[in-house]
Amino acid sequence: MKKTIASELHCFKSGCALLRQVFDVPADATEASIAPLPTQSPIHGSLKFDGSTCQIVGVSTIKCETNTAHRARSISDILRANAGKGIVELHYAAADGAIVALEGQIVSADGTVLVFETHLRALLAIPVAKVDHVKGALAAVVSESTPPAAGIVVKLNPQPKPTFLELNVLSTDVTWTASYHINYDESRMIVVFSGDACIMNDAIAIDGAFDHVKLMAGNSNIEMAHIVDPMANRDNVAEFLAKVASKNSVGSPAGMFGAGAFGGTSLYGMSQMPAAAGGGGTQQPVEAPASVNDLYVYTFSNVLIPKNERAMVPLVAPIAMPFTDHYDAEVDVTHSTGSDGASHHVPVWHFIKFKNLSSVPWTTGPILVTETEAAANGHLANKQLICQSLVPFTPVGADLDLKLTQTLGIQISKSEAWSSTTQTQLIDRNTYKKHCCRLYFTIKNQKALPVHLRLKVHFAGDCVKASALISKNFEKGGRNGVNLLRIVEFDLMLPSGQIQIVTLDLELWLYA
């Protein structure tokens, strides 16, 4: 069949993609074949044909045997490409480490063993891994037969006029992930933010580019991702029923990012994925991302993504945005029951905060942060890696807090002073005694400028007094023994070179 509307791909982060193709059906046609199917891993129940413009009588399967060819990329490929041909010179390493030179003909070669006939008619079996040199009039293309693939024949009632047939199929082994970069200019308090999407296609083979690629940001429930549609997979009935009985959904974080049916692909490891063969597409999304049932859709046109290749398309055009600094420290004394008399260092992390001023929301993905100073001649120079961090979903107009580095310019030490009271109470037939704890935080700002520090303390019990203003005080849920778990936060402005001591008085009940 002649394709009239180029293929459209709706790609989810969960490892699935919907392929839509529309085919031209000539007048009076009694059948239309799609052989082979563009994907050999359609999800059970998703292989559908739209016959709204033609009458479908039935659908049957056919087997397609195809040959593939690719350029030789290794010694193994070269040996297979030149089976039956004469070789002027072949070198391999013998068991004793000596290099042996041969002249003759390659009889056969698989991935591990080369069968070689020398010019003296001797047959040798040589490990392919030991071959390091081949010389002759060599072919550079490997031709291989692929296992039989599934094709589809759609039976039609003849129509007096040309019509159309639409294929819709959900396939596994296709995914995408976002990857971001910011250039950080501390002197001007500006970041330049940009983002790309890397599309990974290990399943779908079509001729040419996709007319439209829609990248879906969100979490969709897919119930049958572990079962290939029986129209494409000729399992016997028992095997098919066994797979149906083993329910497996990818509509969850474990399915999206775990080592499951999609090879454990993790978006956290793909900050700087280079564009491989393919790519292209418009330089901006064709339309503003739409919100559809909790999904955000980024649309691109004319994107070439051959099977088993990767493509990169621009997700966020570079945009300069102002930022503010703040520093965060977090302490957990939930399980503390007494002082060891020591002072403990508390790490402080540097964050920057900026607003999404671009025209698109930012979906979850890793971000590479660099700092670049402009050279005197106007060229960029001295690019310095700052960190790699993670961007959570950030709508247009929302703020993003980005964690950068652990700072040495702000020092915090924590110590505890404990005392017990005479108050007791009986809870669930156990006697508990009230204890008091005073937390001391000694904070020193060694930076040249004043800084904003956010200090967060996790504890069990009640907060009865603090030496600084508490900005947040809330229960975080759960208990440690009979004490509620709580969090308090302080927002502190620290002058340069100053030392500030913050105290926090707690009361809690401990088993007597």
Side-chain angles (χ1 to χ4, degrees):
M1 288 187 299
K2 180 183 177 183
K3 186 171 61 182
T4 56
I5 298 179
S7 301
E8 187 171 274
L9 191 69
H10 299 233
C11 188
F12 296 89
K13 284 187 172 182
S14 59
C16 300
L18 174 71
L19 172 66
R20 175 178 176 266
Q21 287 183 299
V22 180
F23 297 92
D24 187 15
V25 179
D28 299 322
T30 58
E31 66 177 34
S33 64
I34 304 174
L37 278 171
T39 174
Q40 293 299 303
S41 54
I43 290 176
H44 174 41
S46 73
L47 183 59
K48 301 296 181 185
F49 295 93
D50 185 355
S52 57
T53 59
C54 58
Q55 295 181 8
I56 297 176
V57 177
V59 180
S60 60
T61 58
I62 57 174
K63 289 185 178 180
C64 312
E65 294 189 6
T66 58
N67 290 323
T68 61
H70 64 82
R71 291 192 63 82
R73 300 185 180 98
S74 64
I75 288 287
S76 177
D77 282 353
I78 292 172
L79 296 176
R80 284 186 293 139
N82 290 276
K85 296 184 178 180
I87 300 298
V88 174
E89 191 173 285
L90 181 143
H91 292 178
Y92 77 96
D96 61 0
I99 301 299
V100 180
L102 299 173
E103 178 184 351
Q105 178 177 297
I106 295 174
V107 177
S108 65
D110 60 21
T112 58
V113 178
L114 162 69
V115 178
F116 192 83
E117 182 180 10
T118 71
H119 67 290
L120 298 176
R121 299 290 184 177
L123 284 178
L124 302 176
I126 303 169
V128 168
K130 298 294 185 180
V131 178
D132 66 359
H133 176 78
V134 184
K135 182 179 180 181
L138 302 176
V141 176
V142 184
S143 180
E144 297 177 311
S145 295
T146 60
I152 295 291
V153 176
V154 183
K155 304 292 185 180
L156 304 169
N157 272 335
Q159 302 293 310
K161 295 181 180 180
T163 185
F164 304 96
L165 181 68
E166 182 176 316
L167 164 70
N168 290 277
V169 59
L170 193 60
S171 174
T172 59
D173 300 318
V174 183
T175 191
W176 75 279
T177 183
S179 171
Y180 303 101
H181 173 253
I182 62 171
N183 196 54
Y184 166 75
D185 187 341
E186 191 171 20
S187 63
R188 296 190 299 152
M189 301 295 285
I190 292 289
V191 293
V192 178
F193 184 100
S194 62
D196 297 293
C198 177
I199 308 168
M200 307 171 67
N201 174 22
D202 287 347
I204 296 176
I206 67 167
D207 294 330
F210 293 95
D211 261 13
H212 298 288
V213 171
K214 296 187 176 183
L215 304 181
M216 321 294 285
N219 189 5
S220 293
N221 187 44
I222 308 293
E223 291 288 346
M224 294 290 181
H226 64 305
I227 304 176
V228 174
D229 194 287
M231 291 297 288
N233 184 353
R234 305 301 288 180
D235 282 343
N236 61 43
V237 172
E239 292 170 334
F240 176 74
L241 291 177
K243 290 179 180 177
V244 171
S246 60
K247 185 176 184 296
N248 180 23
S249 168
V250 300
S252 65
M256 289 173 68
F257 307 126
F262 312 115
T265 299
S266 172
L267 63 81
Y268 300 109
M270 299 178 59
S271 149
Q272 290 295 299
M273 177 71 74
T282 56
Q283 291 304 302
Q284 293 294 329
V286 174
E287 56 193 52
S291 176
V292 183
N293 291 332
D294 301 320
L295 300 174
Y296 284 84
V297 185
Y298 305 86
T299 303
F300 300 86
S301 295
N302 191 32
V303 182
L304 180 64
I305 323 171
K307 183 180 176 182
N308 296 321
E309 296 290 357
R310 309 291 183 257
M312 186 169 278
V313 292
L315 199 64
V316 183
I319 179 172
M321 295 172 289
F323 72 87
T324 57
D325 285 296
H326 66 87
Y327 296 85
D328 277 23
E330 196 160 353
V331 177
D332 192 339
V333 294
T334 300
H335 301 288
S336 181
T337 58
S339 173
D340 59 6
S343 179
H344 298 274
H345 172 72
V346 177
V348 181
W349 287 88
H350 181 197
F351 284 73
I352 59 173
K353 183 177 181 179
F354 52 94
K355 192 181 296 292
N356 180 357
L357 300 180
S358 70
S359 60
V360 298
W362 303 335
T363 184
T364 303
I367 183 167
L368 195 69
V369 182
T370 59
E371 185 175 16
T372 305
E373 296 178 359
N377 58 6
H379 296 291
L380 293 179
N382 303 322
K383 181 169 281 190
Q384 174 66 47
L385 172 67
I386 300 298
C387 71
Q388 188 202 40
S389 197
L390 184 68
V391 173
F393 175 72
T394 309
V396 174
D399 288 329
L400 171 62
D401 257 349
L402 199 62
K403 187 177 184 179
L404 298 185
T405 52
Q406 187 173 328
T407 183
L408 301 177
I410 303 172
Q411 299 292 321
I412 301 179
S413 61
K414 173 192 72 75
S415 59
E416 303 174 16
W418 284 78
S419 63
S420 61
T421 69
T422 58
Q423 295 183 49
T424 61
Q425 62 174 321
L426 190 67
I427 304 174
D428 293 334
R429 299 181 180 179
N430 294 311
T431 301
Y432 290 85
K433 179 181 284 188
K434 181 184 283 189
H435 290 253
C436 300
C437 172
R438 172 166 286 185
L439 300 176
Y440 293 88
F441 299 97
T442 303
I443 307 168
K444 183 175 183 180
N445 177 17
Q446 297 174 315
K447 290 182 169 290
L449 297 172
V451 297
H452 171 212
L453 173 68
R454 186 166 56 192
L455 175 62
K456 181 183 293 187
V457 184
H458 300 250
F459 64 94
D462 294 305
C463 171
V464 294
K465 185 179 178 182
S467 64
L469 180 65
I470 295 176
S471 58
K472 293 181 182 178
N473 183 352
F474 56 92
E475 293 182 14
K476 71 175 187 178
R479 291 176 179 268
N480 181 29
V482 297
N483 301 289
L484 288 173
L485 301 181
R486 305 188 67 88
I487 300 175
V488 296
E489 289 186 14
F490 299 94
D491 279 311
L492 306 170
M493 292 303 300
L494 305 177
S496 174
Q498 296 292 311
I499 296 177
Q500 184 172 344
I501 297 176
V502 175
T503 61
L504 181 64
D505 291 347
L506 309 177
E507 290 181 351
L508 65 160
W509 297 89
L510 299 179
Y511 183 70

